[in-house]
Amino acid sequence: MKILGLDSSGLVAGVAVAEDGELVAEYTINYKKTHSQTLLPMLDALRNMIELDMHTVDAIAVASGPGSFTGLRIGSATAKGLGLALDKPLVEVPTLEGLAWNLYGTDKVVCPIMDARRNQVYTAAYEFVPVGEEFRLRTVLPQNPMDIGELLERLTGLGREVIFLGDGVPVYHDVISGCGGLRFYVAPPGNNRQRAASIAALGAVYYAEGRTVTAAEHRPEYLRRSQAEREAERL
């Protein structure tokens, strides 16, 4: 099984190829360039480096949201274009689940937070449960846009240790630190942002479970309307 993973849902852009349980290649950029400038050139460089015949890919896994509206559209358009051109299915991997997969196997509650501005975060909470010789994600708190204060209150109520990761951590670190009663940790570099490798790896799990869509069916999951749409509604 060979899965191409794409992630441009946040500040990080990444492409990866996983095959039969092994990471073959990953290319990640966390720099101030638009993903429209980086994603396809990264994919082309990775393809050339590992001499990848794109027709040998079984499926294309894409970070399906939530995240940056522009970034999600770029990733979605890239995945849809590849799926249509190659006649391959897409695997929609929720961005927050992909982030949680970075910490595969931990016994702590994993809480990805992505900054959504105005004290809001895109968030969820997960735990890993053993299934045979592997682990699977179990949802503790479903993905939602949420006020950071409400999130911390709900996490504290769980009475468990929490690992935070995502681009919301540096934004809200002081708020998290000031939350009494919550014992928390912060994921280190290399595991604290979106990784296409995790999208490909988790995409392989979902592909094996038959969780695919056609390129024509795929739509990103924004979780909320864009700021322009919200402002237009108030007019």
Side-chain angles (χ1 to χ4, degrees):
M1 183 193 305
K2 187 181 294 183
I3 305 294
L4 171 66
L6 304 173
D7 195 332
S8 59
S9 58
L11 298 176
V12 175
V15 296
V17 174
E19 183 174 9
D20 297 333
E22 299 288 339
L23 177 63
V24 178
E26 181 180 19
Y27 191 163
T28 300
I29 292 291
N30 184 12
Y31 193 68
K32 296 178 181 179
K33 287 189 176 181
T34 63
H35 297 328
S36 59
Q37 293 175 287
T38 58
L39 196 61
L40 283 175
M42 290 164 61
L43 175 58
D44 190 50
L46 180 144
R47 180 185 62 82
N48 288 328
M49 184 65 70
I50 63 173
E51 300 177 342
L52 174 65
D53 179 353
M54 295 292 290
H55 289 90
T56 65
V57 169
D58 292 292
I60 300 157
V62 59
S64 60
S68 155
F69 284 82
T70 301
L72 287 175
R73 290 186 181 109
I74 291 169
S76 175
T78 302
K80 286 170 74 74
L82 290 171
L84 289 169
L86 300 171
D87 192 25
K88 301 293 182 179
L90 270 55
V91 183
E92 298 172 327
V93 179
T95 303
L96 298 169
E97 293 183 17
L99 271 165
W101 204 253
N102 291 359
L103 302 178
Y104 179 89
T106 180
D107 61 351
K108 309 294 190 293
V109 171
V110 180
C111 183
I113 55 175
M114 301 175 66
D115 184 25
R117 310 285 179 86
R118 300 179 182 179
N119 286 322
Q120 295 276 314
V121 291
Y122 296 120
T123 190
Y126 305 96
E127 62 183 354
F128 285 93
V129 295
V131 177
E133 298 178 349
E134 300 179 342
F135 287 96
R136 291 291 185 269
L137 279 178
R138 176 188 291 165
T139 300
V140 177
L141 298 176
Q143 64 175 19
N144 268 306
M146 190 181 302
D147 180 85
I148 186 65
E150 179 186 351
L151 171 64
L152 296 175
E153 182 178 340
R154 296 180 69 176
L155 290 173
T156 302
L158 296 175
R160 296 179 59 184
E161 295 178 317
V162 177
I163 303 179
F164 288 101
L165 72 165
D167 62 38
V169 174
V171 178
Y172 297 104
H173 187 271
D174 289 347
V175 178
I176 297 169
S177 297
C179 179
L182 179 64
R183 186 172 181 183
F184 74 93
Y185 306 88
V186 174
N191 296 90
N192 63 2
R193 294 292 187 274
Q194 288 94 325
R195 288 192 61 183
S198 289
I199 296 299
L202 188 52
V205 173
Y206 293 162
Y207 176 75
E209 294 174 350
R211 295 170 56 176
T212 65
V213 297
T214 66
E217 291 171 330
H218 168 64
R219 297 290 185 276
E221 175 57 74
Y222 298 114
L223 284 190
R224 70 179 189 182
R225 290 166 297 171
S226 69
Q227 182 177 346
E229 290 172 321
R230 296 195 302 272
E231 291 178 352
E233 192 175 70
R234 290 198 293 266
L235 296 177

